[in-house]
Amino acid sequence: MRRPGQWPLAAQLALAFALVTVLALGGSGALLLYQSSARLLAGRAESTLAWGQAAAGLAAEYWSDPREGMTLALYRFHQQSGIRPVVVDTDGRVVADVSSETPLLGERLTHPELQAALAGRTATGTRRLSTGEWVMYGGVPVVVSGEQVGAVLVAAGIGAVRDAQRDLLRQLALVAGAMAALAVLLGVLLARYLTRPLVRLRAAVARLARGQLDARVEPGGSSELRDLGHGFNRMAEELGRLDQQRRAFVADASHELRTPIAAIRALAEPLLSDRPIDVAVYKEHLHDIVHECERAGRLVNSLLELARLDMRAESRSQVSQAAEPIDLRRVAVEVVHALEPLAAERGVRLAILPGEPVMARADAHLVEAVLGNLVENGIKYTPRGGAVQVSVGVNVDGDRTEGGASLSAGSERAGAAERRRRAGGERDGAASQRPVAWIKVADTGIGIPKEHQARIFERFYRVDKARSRATGGAGLGLAIAAEAAARLGGRIHVASESGRGSEFTFTLPL
């Protein structure tokens, strides 16, 4: 059996609404019953004391003749009022009683109301007799010539008051029952209305869990539920986008890996034939196989680097723990030194411009990943006889207008990039308030057409696929640089024109 906490939310809301209503009605009904009973009893006590004072007046008038005159006068009083008076002396002994069934003459009474009356005070009290009847007693002093000579005890039935209380209780119970039923009905309707968005959201979550990434909900209900619905839709859209990226990434990676594998197979199959093969052709095929293996290895290394960057994106604490004070110029010198053999092989002049040390707190491995991919990209797409230059600096005032030494077309490209950035509203407000370090990589290569510049940081995107494969590229270098820059909290800006080279600027907040 389910516990109440395990019931559906609609049932819990309906039950809670009904309980609150019943408790509120019960509490108010009990208060009303108490106050009504108190008013009825107070009115009855007032009338009882009034009859008691009247009886005390008759007793005082006939005090000298209690057996004849007083008894007769009190009997008449009893006949008119229906109230039984009993008169006692100062010792509490009965001197007059109108009852013929249970006469109390000569007996000593100890009723609290009578004791209070003998002490000179009027008092009332209610008690239940052995017969089950409720009676109200009232005690009133009897004063003759300014001296108290006894007291009168009167008794009045209060069955009518008790009947009125029971009637009121029944009416309250009927009203409370009807209101409780109505509260349950309203609670169910209200709970269904309130939980309808949650039911839709639960169904959408179940669809999403089954892999239906197009699951959406129509936000409704309270403002919190509407915000929850919008948040779910945004989450589903993001999951769909990530799934599309994953599928595209897997497809692109499979395609890129299939190309060198197919080439290796095509080169290896002739070597397995029984036909005699010239040694030069044999060596050429082996050389091409080694080249394709190296190409596949570079692709796998790039994929692993992207995977590591994605893992770092999921744990920012790892990025902050790996950060340490580093000299960006020293890192740039090491990267340039490591890539000088590649530049010499392609006939490209690679140099780093002189300058002062620039200290920053960052992950050195990520900075090397950004700079290494930018420099390698510049070398690959710069024709023989061209140049790639690296410069490092800091803008103390936070202005990102690109300045300093660069290639001949660098200042013009930087100015154009700045104008485009301002027109596009890309200025970072935080960067304008804090100093930033920058590392520029400028080349005299083939340049990037404007229509491709917005997509060059996408994974596997290549401006000229045939030319990229010829240079050994898979479209991952700039994607790795962009991911590493994002992990560092920096950005990469590009300024390029076809046939005039490119300039990449990596900015890092200090």
Side-chain angles (χ1 to χ4, degrees), residues 101-116:
E101 298 179 358
T102 56
L104 301 175
L105 290 175
E107 294 187 12
R108 186 173 183 178
L109 302 182
T110 59
H111 294 70
E113 298 81 11
L114 190 59
Q115 298 299 321

Side-chain angles (χ1 to χ4, degrees), residues 329 353-355 389-418 421-422 436-442 493 495 503-507:
R329 174 169 294 278
L353 298 180
Q389 289 185 346
V390 180
S391 56
V392 184
V394 60
N395 293 339
V396 179
D397 58 358
D399 187 1
R400 285 194 307 202
T401 302
E402 313 298 353
S406 63
L407 297 183
S408 59
S411 59
E412 296 178 5
R413 289 193 298 272
E418 179 67 14
R421 181 177 59 77
R422 289 179 178 177
V436 295
W438 50 263
I439 303 177
K440 296 181 190 177
V441 179
H493 308 272
E503 183 176 87
F504 290 86
T505 304
F506 166 46
T507 59

